[in-house]
Amino acid sequence: MSVAKKDYKRITTKSLIEMKSNGEKISMLTAYDYTMAKIVDTAGVDVILVGDSASNVMAGHETTLPITLDQMIYHASSVVRAVDRALVVVDLPFGSYQSDPKEALRSSIRIMKESGGHAVKLEGGKEIKESIKKILNAGIPVMGHLGLTPQSIYKFGTYSVRAKEDQEAEKLMEDAKLLEKIGCFAIVLEKIPADLAKKVAESISIPVIGIGAGGGVDGQVLVIHDMLGMNNEFSPRFLRRYLNLYELMTKAIGQYAADVKSSDFPNAGEQY
């Protein structure tokens, strides 16, 4: 029996859990600046992730590791100022939470106070349990992240699919249940087998958001530069491009440059 979609004026962590209970899929996209966040929010996306992927798509780094806490706060602040409806989740960057639960709490407090974000996201399971507990005890909502964890890229040495072997799949399932038990409101599963992701989503009560994890989870997330086709060099199997902005923007900018060179722009109607 289908359930009528509820019109949420403001998405909260409670809203997401209700969506899962009602069988309503959750939409999530990244954004890193005011203008893009305004468009994403107006379009009706439920969750905006201020991802440490800003390190790649905004700053041009090869990995997510170089981005700093100050830079994440800058991006998150820009996004929060644009948003009226979506829940804004902010990644804790590499080095800001792994070594010490007290440092994890300090980093999270800075994000919440200085950016106005609504929740933080951390990569990992059992190994960062104490950090997550510390943050949750301060009243800060936490979204988990399991499977492919880009901040650990040098440990794994590859961006290939995770949890294909039984041992790693079992650990992922255990970590998901642990994250639910200690109080995370949702979990991102990245680049794992679809059957495993579906099993995880069915075994816990909190929402599971997938990226490269199949359609059996409770929602989906993509990097906005990828789904809009602004980045034409990244083509994983899980990516659906809804536009080819790289081509459209290159053509438009090229036309502008040509019009300036030929004195076609500005014309008589475009000046005072």
Side-chain angles (χ1 to χ4, degrees):
M1 181 176 164
S2 62
V3 180
K5 181 178 176 181
K6 184 175 178 180
D7 184 20
Y8 293 97
K9 291 184 178 178
R10 187 90 204 200
I11 303 296
T12 65
T13 57
K14 184 173 179 286
S15 309
L16 300 185
I17 292 169
E18 285 180 4
M19 287 179 185
K20 172 162 181 155
S21 297
N22 293 337
E24 180 183 343
K25 298 287 189 178
I26 298 162
S27 60
M28 180 169 165
L29 278 174
T30 64
Y32 317 98
D33 65 85
Y34 177 89
T35 303
M36 193 71 86
K38 185 64 116 177
I39 295 169
V40 173
D41 189 52
T42 302
V45 169
D46 299 313
V47 184
I48 294 178
L49 173 64
V50 185
D52 57 4
S53 47
S55 180
N56 310 104
V57 298
M58 300 299 287
H61 292 297
E62 184 180 0
T63 71
T64 61
L65 274 62
I67 199 164
T68 67
L69 182 60
D70 284 341
Q71 289 167 336
M72 288 301 303
I73 289 170
Y74 165 79
H75 285 295
S77 301
S78 302
V79 167
V80 168
R81 283 192 286 271
V83 170
D84 292 321
R85 177 181 178 273
L87 181 77
V88 178
V89 179
V90 185
D91 270 341
L92 281 175
F94 178 72
S96 68
Y97 65 92
Q98 290 94 338
S99 62
D100 177 12
K102 291 181 180 178
E103 179 67 19
L105 177 58
R106 283 193 291 270
S107 301
S108 300
I109 288 173
R110 281 200 63 200
I111 283 176
M112 301 297 282
K113 285 178 69 70
E114 296 177 39
S115 79
H118 308 140
V120 297
K121 181 167 77 65
L122 290 73
E123 294 183 8
K126 183 179 180 182
E127 61 276 8
I128 60 163
K129 176 179 70 172
E130 297 307 318
S131 289
I132 293 174
K133 281 183 174 180
K134 197 85 171 171
I135 297 167
L136 288 168
N137 285 341
I140 298 171
V142 174
M143 176 180 280
H145 184 144
L146 300 171
L148 176 64
T149 48
Q151 290 179 11
S152 303
I153 183 57
Y154 290 126
K155 174 183 174 183
F156 295 126
T158 175
Y159 286 106
S160 60
V161 176
R162 305 301 312 170
K164 290 193 290 185
E165 304 299 327
D166 289 346
Q167 187 175 357
E168 190 178 351
E170 287 172 14
K171 183 185 184 306
L172 188 143
M173 179 66 79
E174 290 170 3
D175 280 340
K177 290 180 178 178
L178 172 68
L179 294 179
E180 176 190 30
K181 183 178 179 181
I182 63 180
C184 290
F185 70 89
I187 300 173
V188 167
L189 291 183
E190 181 168 359
K191 216 168 181 184
I192 68 168
D195 288 346
L196 175 61
K198 185 173 187 290
K199 194 180 296 183
V200 171
E202 290 173 348
S203 69
I204 60 178
S205 61
I206 60 175
V208 173
I209 313 294
I211 176 167
V217 291
D218 305 305
Q220 301 293 329
V221 59
L222 286 174
V223 172
I224 194 162
H225 290 67
D226 299 336
M227 63 82 67
L228 290 178
M230 296 174 76
N231 176 4
N232 68 342
E233 299 167 352
F234 183 62
S235 299
R237 183 190 300 182
F238 64 78
L239 174 61
R240 181 183 294 182
R241 283 199 174 91
Y242 285 79
L243 281 175
N244 187 348
L245 277 187
Y246 183 90
E247 184 178 305
L248 292 171
M249 291 173 73
T250 302
K251 184 178 179 182
I253 293 166
Q255 186 63 57
Y256 163 76
D259 289 350
V260 171
K261 294 286 188 185
S262 68
S263 298
D264 181 74
F265 176 78
N267 62 31
E270 295 165 333
Q271 51 191 317
Y272 299 99

